Amino acid sequence: MIVARRRSLILGMGAALLLFMGLIYAYSVLLAPLKGTFGWDVASMTLVFALSIISFTVGGIVSGELVRRGWERGGLALGAALLAAGFWGTSAVDGASGLLVVCATYGVTASAGIGIVYNIVIPTVTSWFPDRVGLAQGICLMGFGSGGFVLGPLVTHLYALLDWRVVIRGSGVALAALALAAAVVMRPPTDEGRRAAPGPPSPSGPRTPAKSAPAEQGAAAMLRDRTFYLLYAFLFLLGCVGMGVTGIGRELPLSLGASDLEAALVIGCVNVGSGLGRLGGGAALDRLGRSRTMRGVGALGLAGPVAMIFSLATGSLALQAVACLLTGVSWGAAVVSMPFVTRTRWGQRGMAQNMALVNTYSVFASLVGSWGTGLLSAAAGSYVPALLVMALMGAASVAVARAL
């Protein structure tokens, strides 16, 4: 009973914390006043987002080493400090150097803090749920993916009431406080807790002891495994689609004449879909296995950009919201496949380090998907060529999933 309550507390805290960390995906809403004040173009905004994803990945690598050393609490405190410093630095931006400052404060400092927190929470929660790896990860990642939709409209409303500098500072303080609160609660189970937790489910139905867990393999063994490269390619392709749409952000609905609030809600559907995809994808991975699940995810990754092209052609905000939802579901389900495959293929012990290595795909996906989309759209004077490339990437992901 004590272990069951502890599992619920860890899961709830992890999901709540990652919900607020998911503000990273609402960057186009969070930084909208700065874009308007300093006259930044779409390519400049997508550069900030690309940097934030790269720094998020680097933060994950750092936290992988912290988890290996058993320094989860110290890692969360470090993440909190970086979040506070990054948001406060962003709120102080002014003058011609504003873009460079935001790249350094939000794009690097705050985003690295989010990456550290993220890659401590996911392995810690997973360690408490050997019987429901995909579902536990999906619940946490649903919070992370939904953060932009939940917090984006709230931030937009606060901007109408308060100076944008006050809102950004307050956001940094709130995120840092949540990370510090989690440091008090989040920790892996003791040996006694691991023995008391249910083991992984067997194909015949009854739960089995932990001896059916996968062999523990470190990074060197993982890099010799063909599965790693297929998973990496799958994540890169669908990451480019998700980050491409997120990188353009609110400019897509604004191009159809949406108001600021409507734009936040429409592009927020990517985050809603991401949350649903992470939860549903986690459950599907547990029930259907990775191959069938990931083929379906790839098909959605193709459908999203195609629907987005039609929304631009018809001027339909409703269809664009559906396109954002499809893109988000695909991206979210792809993301949850990363910790699932990492845990079930290469084991729990080195999960934080292995997952951080797999997550380096997002460095390349952010450069190609986010910044590349911004550059291509600016050069073409249209979002359609970039969306066509995204559709081809979605189709390619289905082929990769078949090989998995």
Side-chain angles (χ1 to χ4, degrees), residues 43-321:
S44 297
M45 293 290 286
T46 54
L47 173 61
V48 175
F49 183 62
L51 282 173
S52 74
I53 297 299
I54 293 170
S55 300
F56 172 85
T57 304
V58 172
I61 294 172
V62 171
S63 64
E65 180 62 22
L66 296 175
V67 170
R68 188 185 71 82
R69 295 173 179 266
W71 295 348
E72 289 88 353
R73 290 185 171 184
L76 289 170
L78 174 60
L82 291 174
L83 281 162
F87 274 78
W88 273 71
T90 300
S91 73
V93 65
D94 199 9
S97 62
L99 181 62
L100 291 177
V101 172
V102 170
C103 284
T105 54
Y106 179 84
V108 175
T109 306
S111 300
I114 293 175
I116 288 173
V117 172
Y118 174 93
N119 202 37
I120 289 174
V121 170
I122 296 297
T124 302
V125 170
T126 300
S127 66
W128 283 91
F129 289 87
D131 56 324
R132 289 291 183 268
V133 172
L135 182 60
Q137 292 171 345
I139 290 172
C140 283
L141 292 172
M142 178 183 69
F144 191 62
S146 301
F149 180 78
V150 174
L151 300 177
L154 174 60
V155 168
T156 299
H157 180 67
L158 289 175
Y159 281 148
L161 302 175
L162 302 169
D163 181 74
W164 62 264
R165 298 181 190 273
V166 174
V167 175
I168 291 177
R169 286 174 193 153
S171 299
V173 170
L175 294 179
L178 286 168
L180 289 175
V184 178
V185 176
M186 300 290 294
R187 69 188 77 174
T190 61
D191 291 340
E192 181 180 354
R194 288 190 178 93
R195 287 192 295 268
S202 70
S204 59
R207 292 177 182 176
T208 61
K211 65 181 181 181
S212 60
E216 301 289 344
Q217 299 183 60
M222 182 178 71
L223 289 173
R224 294 192 295 269
D225 190 341
R226 173 175 174 268
T227 299
F228 168 79
Y229 297 98
L230 291 172
L231 176 63
Y232 204 92
F234 179 81
L235 292 169
F236 168 77
L237 290 166
L238 291 181
C240 284
V241 176
M243 293 184 204
V245 172
T246 304
I248 301 172
R250 64 200 294 270
E251 302 303 320
L252 284 165
L254 288 177
S255 72
L256 299 183
S259 67
D260 285 343
L261 183 57
E262 287 173 335
L265 289 171
V266 170
I267 200 62
C269 287
V270 175
N271 305 112
V272 172
S274 181
L276 295 174
R278 292 168 199 233
L279 180 60
L285 286 163
D286 278 335
R287 183 177 296 272
L288 302 177
R290 74 185 188 205
S291 181
R292 292 172 62 188
T293 300
M294 293 169 77
R295 288 199 302 271
V297 169
L300 292 175
L302 167 62
V306 171
M308 186 68 72
I309 292 172
F310 278 101
S311 78
L312 294 175
T314 60
S316 173
L317 275 176
L319 181 56
Q320 190 167 98

Side-chain angles (χ1 to χ4, degrees), residues 11-22:
L11 180 60
M13 173 62 80
L17 179 58
L18 291 185
L19 171 70
F20 284 88
M21 295 298 134

